[in-house]
Amino acid sequence: MGSERSRDWHSRQAEGHGLRMVIGELARAAAAPGWARLVVRRAQVGAHALTTVTRDDHEIAAQGMDEPFQRLRELSYQAGGGTWFICELEFSSGGRGYTGRVDSSAPPFEDVPPVAALAELTAFPREDPPGWLLAALPTAVPFGLPTTYGDHYDRWRHRPGNHRPLPIAGELAYLPATTMTARDFGESREPGGHLVYLTEQADDLEHGHLMLSCHREAYWVGRHDLRGAREGVRSVTLNGAVLRLELTPGAADALETETVFEVRLDLPPKTIGQLRSALADLFRSAVRAPELIGF
């Protein structure tokens, strides 16, 4: 499961989202071309688990999902509340987003093996186990093991999202950004480096912004809230008052956008001309520069 995105996970929320994206990639890889809808359902108690993947309502085989789902259960654990037993994720062919749900109370199987029930309450102790889980136990409720799932994130609670638990019940949804409106443009230069930024509010990087930077031969693209990717831009198109970035799937996921992201330029024509010149200069030294269209 060695995803490149794992290097950028800075919170439970970020890693949980990254794991769902990994699961989506595995489902896409298993599906024949031409699909419209993929649904992945994971049911698990202890080590007893079943993953079902359907392509347009027809079940298909998929590999490699055990590890990301197990890690997702661990990260989702809430002291006293346990973790989910059912996780469903739905992906559509038209974008990088997903919807779904998790359930921490309904029985995931008609029959739960006693050893699975015992392992579940040992690894994920909860104060009020559902009746079906208690009924499956071969013995009295076990003493739970000390739990430290994702505890390293707690050392950085000042970072955005670190204190929020992952959901164990309810709906899931990820809707990648597709557009922003830029009302201000700026740039800075230093030896070996060049930064260009567009912001939704004038002189305000705290709100929505898009930044592109190049240092020597490599470039980066970033959005607000620490979202960013090294390279991964296939093309940059400037057409009138619209700047369009075509991104690789990995870069889009890191930026939490679709693979096509548009910036509507609420800027004077002269400023748009300055932006055109600045971007052309920025990418001039990049070894793997994107294709520039309209420059």
Side-chain angles (χ1 to χ4, degrees):
M1 192 187 66
S3 168
E4 290 296 315
R5 289 189 294 274
S6 65
R7 300 176 184 176
D8 299 323
W9 290 338
H10 56 273
S11 69
R12 281 187 177 85
Q13 290 287 335
E15 185 176 353
H17 169 67
L19 290 167
R20 296 185 202 108
M21 298 301 286
V22 168
I23 292 164
E25 287 300 299
L26 292 170
R28 290 183 178 94
W35 59 273
R37 177 173 171 266
L38 292 173
V39 177
V40 183
R41 184 183 190 274
R42 176 75 167 192
Q44 185 167 351
V45 178
H48 184 61
L50 176 65
T51 303
T52 305
V53 182
T54 57
R55 175 191 184 274
D56 298 331
D57 300 322
H58 296 283
E59 189 171 337
I60 62 173
Q63 305 296 323
M65 296 187 181
D66 286 343
E67 186 179 345
F69 268 124
Q70 176 62 27
R71 178 58 177 165
L72 193 53
R73 291 194 86 222
E74 293 172 354
L75 284 175
S76 301
Y77 175 74
Q78 297 179 15
T83 189
W84 51 262
F85 300 113
I86 300 169
C87 177
E88 293 181 354
L89 298 171
E90 180 175 330
F91 305 88
S92 64
S93 61
R96 303 291 299 169
Y98 58 77
T99 57
R101 71 180 186 94
V102 283
D103 194 315
S104 61
S105 59
F109 306 105
E110 186 173 341
D111 295 306
V112 175
V115 67
L118 186 64
E120 178 71 23
L121 289 176
T122 301
F124 303 108
R126 53 174 68 201
E127 295 175 357
D128 189 19
W132 59 265
L133 187 59
L134 292 174
L137 284 173
T139 64
V141 177
F143 289 103
L145 295 174
T147 55
T148 57
Y149 309 121
D151 65 323
H152 59 288
Y153 293 127
D154 296 332
R155 305 183 194 121
W156 306 97
R157 294 180 67 88
H158 63 282
R159 291 188 176 182
N162 280 21
H163 62 286
R164 291 187 294 129
L166 291 175
I168 60 174
E171 302 298 314
L172 301 170
Y174 165 56
L175 301 175
T178 58
T179 63
M180 67 168 279
T181 298
R183 299 179 178 86
D184 193 27
F185 152 73
E187 66 173 320
S188 64
R189 300 172 186 259
E190 58 184 36
H194 190 180
L195 170 69
V196 172
Y197 62 87
L198 293 162
T199 62
E200 292 183 340
Q201 302 294 332
D203 300 319
D204 186 1
L205 288 177
E206 293 298 319
H207 291 83
H209 68 260
L210 177 73
M211 292 193 299
L212 297 116
S213 64
C214 188
H215 183 71
R216 302 189 187 281
E217 298 179 342
Y219 71 88
W220 288 261
V221 57
R223 293 179 64 228
H224 50 284
D225 295 339
L226 303 178
R227 302 178 188 124
R230 176 170 176 166
E231 302 183 343
V233 182
R234 289 173 170 161
S235 68
V236 179
T237 302
L238 184 54
N239 183 11
V242 176
L243 180 71
R244 182 181 300 107
L245 277 65
E246 182 183 355
L247 306 163
T248 64
D253 293 346
L255 293 167
E256 297 191 4
T257 68
E258 293 290 4
T259 53
V260 174
F261 183 72
E262 289 191 348
V263 183
R264 298 164 183 165
L265 303 173
D266 187 8
L267 300 169
K270 180 179 179 180
T271 304
I272 293 176
Q274 294 170 342
L275 172 64
R276 176 180 284 106
S277 298
L279 289 175
D281 288 345
L282 183 147
F283 287 115
R284 188 167 288 120
S285 62
V287 172
R288 290 182 289 274
E291 179 184 7
L292 300 182
I293 303 170
F295 289 80

